[in-house]
Amino acid sequence: LKRDSVARMRTYSAIAVATYLHLVMVTCSPDTPTPITRVVSSNGGHRLTPESSIDWQYAENCPADSFEILHTEEGQVIGGFGASMTESSAVNLNSLSEEMQEELLEIVFGKTGARVSAVKATMLANDFSAQGPWSTYDDVENDVKLEHFSIKRDLRENGTLTFIKRAISAGFEGTIQAYMDYPPDWMLDDRKNPANASIREDLYDVLAQYYAAYVEAYARHGVTIDFLECFNEPTDSYTRMAPSQLARFLGKHIGPLFDQLGLRNKTKLTYGGQCNREMAAEYIPAIMADRAAAKYMDVLAYHGYDCQYGCNDSRQNYDKISQVHEKFAHIPMWMTEICYAYNGDDPNCTSSATMSSCTDYPRDPKLAPPLPRLDFEDGATWGHRIIKDLQSGASGWIYWNMFLDMDGGPFAYSPEHNDGPDNYQHPVVVVDGESDRFHLTGLFWFLSHFSRFVRPGSVFVKAREPRAVPPPDGVSMAAFHKKDSGDARYSNVVQVVNKGAQEKSIAICSKGYVARMKVPGFSITTGQWK
């Protein structure tokens, strides 16, 4: 009996010591993560609202119902998140009083606001060059020496360059991307039908000089174009350029010229961006197969117009663009345009019987809510799309118009350049100039979580979805390592989007620790820890 008692005492002592050492290891280990600080925007009224921190609990193995962050599997470096600096956006900004203009600029670009970190500089002209008639930077017939090249229009009150300079003054720091729909008409091979014309091949060098003149002119005003998409949606929407022509222009003309002028040190190149992921998955490999062109494919770009309303993930063709990224993972890839639009391009979008094949945004409000979308819950759709593009390999994400009016305009009208009537679209911020007000859309708030908390230089980190059970319906997550962010408090960040109406419970597992939290319906939660 005595021996049994001694044995039990020794056992209890061993258990006590082991438990103590385990507690010390768990609570004092330098690897123990700090509590997750949370910032939430939700349909319940939260708007970048700090919420109570969540503590981690030790777990030998990640629970089967958790999102597991795979810290050793880093992916692409983040370049930024934002929208496009169209003339229409500038027109709407300037329709507000001076006081409201400064407030809006601070909310979008300032250190207390969204801190938008990527913008598109829209070269003349495009469907939202709304401050004047269709024009380019040199409309003097056959001016092959570009003696009349001028960016004066961009320097007007409603010009793109003026708008960008105001954004920089308000605090913008990040990536500036540029693109072109059409060159001057005199460079086209069919002057009578620009919408279906290509570039005259004998003028490829002149067009390359045209792009260089644009980049140099902006640089003289203190604005660096970080990367240039030579052609916007070639063949899909605008200039008719086959992959072989695009490759020749990039590899034999603009690429060598930018090297010769020393421009490519700051301004990277890509041939263009197709209208959707499916087309990009066809064009990008074709151009990369050309050795001369591949040398100058510094960036891969695509647009997200695969499907606009009522879309599941398969219809968005994320798998196709993910395959492009896997094949060319050494090249940064950007999603550089997407929006809701009433273009009327797809007849399937006008009838409920064909809605399952609709790729546009239906005009009939019985089929889709009318524009503008001022409801907060719509933002969850965009938050989920951002996450899916990031999971597919995107380094950056740029929406189309930054600011539009209550009707979704104004827009430019030039049918011969494929810019027709009724081109109403949805912006990041809806401006009501008559009432001197603006409305921050749901899209704005979800985009803000990414631009504010996932700064350029952060690195995407892969995460494994729950193993034993599917993730809560409508919930998606993206994780990042924060690097060179200037904020030493945190080294990790997650964005959790719930596009469902109901509150969901989720678990996140990181390096042997698990944290559980609830995410409200139609919400985005930013979690940060070290």
Side-chain angles (χ1 to χ4, degrees):
L1 181 62
K2 183 176 180 180
R3 282 197 299 270
D4 289 344
S5 297
V6 171
R8 282 197 297 270
M9 288 293 291
R10 287 175 176 170
T11 299
Y12 294 154
S13 297
I15 292 173
V17 170
T19 301
Y20 172 76
L21 291 175
H22 174 74
L23 289 172
V24 169
M25 181 174 63
V26 170
T27 58
C28 301
S29 169
D31 293 329
T32 304
T34 61
I36 300 178
T37 63
R38 294 183 298 156
V39 178
V40 178
S41 294
S42 75
N43 204 36
H46 299 87
R47 299 294 184 269
L48 290 171
T49 304
E51 290 290 295
S52 59
S53 298
I54 301 291
D55 290 327
W56 296 90
Q57 301 297 322
Y58 176 76
E60 288 190 14
N61 298 298
C62 288
D65 65 342
S66 66
F67 290 90
E68 181 183 359
I69 301 174
L70 307 176
H71 288 279
T72 60
E73 298 188 31
E74 291 190 333
Q76 66 274 20
V77 177
I78 299 302
F81 303 90
S84 304
M85 312 290 272
T86 59
E87 285 186 355
S88 297
S89 294
V91 167
N92 282 291
L93 174 66
N94 290 322
S95 73
L96 297 169
S97 65
E98 185 174 338
E99 179 182 358
M100 293 300 286
Q101 289 181 41
E102 295 307 313
E103 181 179 339
L104 181 53
L105 288 169
E106 174 61 28
I107 286 173
V108 174
F109 300 106
K111 294 189 181 302
T112 64
R115 298 187 69 197
V116 159
S117 53
V119 298
K120 182 195 295 287
T122 53
M123 293 180 67
L124 292 175
N126 58 76
D127 52 340
F128 282 82
S129 296
Q131 69 168 335
W134 177 274
S135 69
T136 69
Y137 298 109
D138 191 345
D139 292 315
V140 176
E141 195 71 20
N142 296 321
D143 183 21
V144 294
K145 294 184 178 180
L146 302 179
E147 293 175 338
H148 299 277
F149 182 95
S150 173
I151 62 165
K152 285 184 179 179
R153 176 166 168 166
D154 289 1
L155 289 166
R156 295 177 189 170
E157 181 183 21
N158 293 320
T160 297
L161 181 53
T162 299
F163 188 12
I164 292 173
K165 292 169 77 172
R166 292 189 69 184
I168 293 171
S169 295
F172 170 74
E173 295 177 336
T175 300
I176 301 176
Q177 173 247 334
Y179 84 106
M180 183 192 73
D181 282 358
Y182 289 102
D185 285 352
W186 54 267
M187 294 188 189
L188 300 175
D189 62 5
D190 187 351
R191 292 291 308 276
K192 294 182 179 180
N193 188 16
N196 291 302
S198 185
I199 309 297
R200 286 173 48 184
E201 294 195 14
D202 62 314
L203 295 181
Y204 276 10
D205 281 336
V206 177
L207 180 56
Q209 291 282 358
Y210 182 87
Y211 283 117
Y214 169 81
V215 169
E216 290 172 333
Y218 267 54
R220 286 194 291 272
H221 287 270
V223 173
T224 298
I225 302 299
D226 294 293
F227 76 92
L228 173 68
E229 286 182 30
C230 296
F231 298 97
N232 183 46
E233 300 179 358
T235 300
D236 304 338
S237 306
Y238 301 107
T239 314
R240 300 303 188 235
M241 296 283 282
S244 59
Q245 294 171 300
L246 294 164
R248 190 179 312 121
F249 177 75
L250 181 63
K252 300 295 187 181
H253 298 274
I254 190 171
L257 176 65
F258 269 49
D259 274 350
Q260 177 187 335
L261 297 176
L263 296 179
R264 199 157 148 254
N265 293 330
K266 292 184 177 180
T267 302
K268 304 305 179 184
L269 296 172
T270 190
Y271 82 91
Q274 301 304 138
C275 70
N276 57 41
R277 300 174 188 88
E278 184 173 28
M279 289 291 291
E282 176 185 336
Y283 269 60
I284 291 173
I287 292 166
M288 288 295 295
D290 184 296
R291 183 174 299 179
K295 176 182 176 181
Y296 297 105
M297 285 282 278
D298 302 317
V299 181
L300 309 179
Y302 67 93
H303 296 176
Y305 294 110
D306 296 78
C307 177
Q308 292 199 60
Y309 180 74
C311 310
N312 57 32
D313 289 347
S314 64
R315 289 182 63 196
Q316 293 287 15
N317 293 310
Y318 295 115
D319 58 330
K320 290 183 171 62
I321 205 65
S322 180
Q323 290 167 9
V324 172
H325 172 66
E326 290 172 5
K327 189 172 184 178
F328 308 111
H330 61 290
I331 304 175
M333 184 172 73
W334 281 66
M335 199 300 296
T336 55
E337 189 183 314
I338 182 61
C339 71
Y340 286 144
Y342 280 159
N343 294 317
D345 294 332
D346 189 343
N348 290 322
C349 305
T350 59
S351 168
S352 58
T354 57
M355 273 293 288
S356 61
S357 301
C358 169
T359 60
D360 207 337
Y361 194 85
R363 294 171 182 270
D364 189 344
K366 295 177 183 177
L367 302 177
L371 299 180
R373 294 293 301 270
L374 300 182
D375 55 305
F376 178 86
E377 66 187 60
D378 178 62
T381 294
W382 295 105
H384 177 74
R385 290 182 179 185
I386 294 172
I387 285 179
K388 293 304 294 185
D389 276 315
L390 290 165
Q391 290 174 343
S392 301
S395 291
W397 200 91
I398 301 178
Y399 191 79
W400 185 211
N401 282 283
M402 185 78 76
F403 309 141
L404 291 177
D405 63 24
M406 297 293 291
D407 294 321
F411 48 82
Y413 179 71
S414 183
E416 61 270 28
H417 295 97
N418 207 28
D419 292 330
D422 302 327
N423 191 18
Y424 303 108
Q425 300 191 8
H426 184 61
V428 176
V429 178
V430 178
V431 174
D432 183 353
E434 292 185 6
S435 301
D436 197 29
R437 296 190 305 167
F438 55 83
H439 304 272
L440 304 176
T441 65
L443 161 63
F444 167 83
W445 292 108
F446 281 74
L447 183 61
S448 295
H449 276 258
F450 288 91
S451 59
R452 182 164 180 81
F453 299 109
V454 186
R455 298 298 297 167
S458 300
V459 178
F460 179 82
V461 182
K462 291 184 179 180
R464 181 184 292 124
E465 291 191 345
R467 304 185 303 280
V469 294
D473 186 43
V475 175
S476 52
M477 190 196 80
F480 311 85
H481 288 159
K482 301 184 74 166
K483 298 184 179 182
D484 303 323
S485 65
D487 188 348
R489 294 175 300 168
Y490 309 112
S491 56
N492 302 280
V493 60
V494 293
Q495 301 287 7
V496 182
V497 169
N498 180 7
K499 65 174 185 173
Q502 303 301 316
E503 179 183 82
K504 305 289 173 58
S505 296
I506 68 159
I508 298 173
C509 188
S510 173
K511 296 181 178 179
Y513 291 85
V514 64
R516 296 186 178 275
M517 67 179 76
K518 295 183 182 297
V519 290
F522 298 124
S523 72
I524 179 168
T525 297
T526 297
Q528 299 182 96
W529 71 94
K530 189 172 184 179

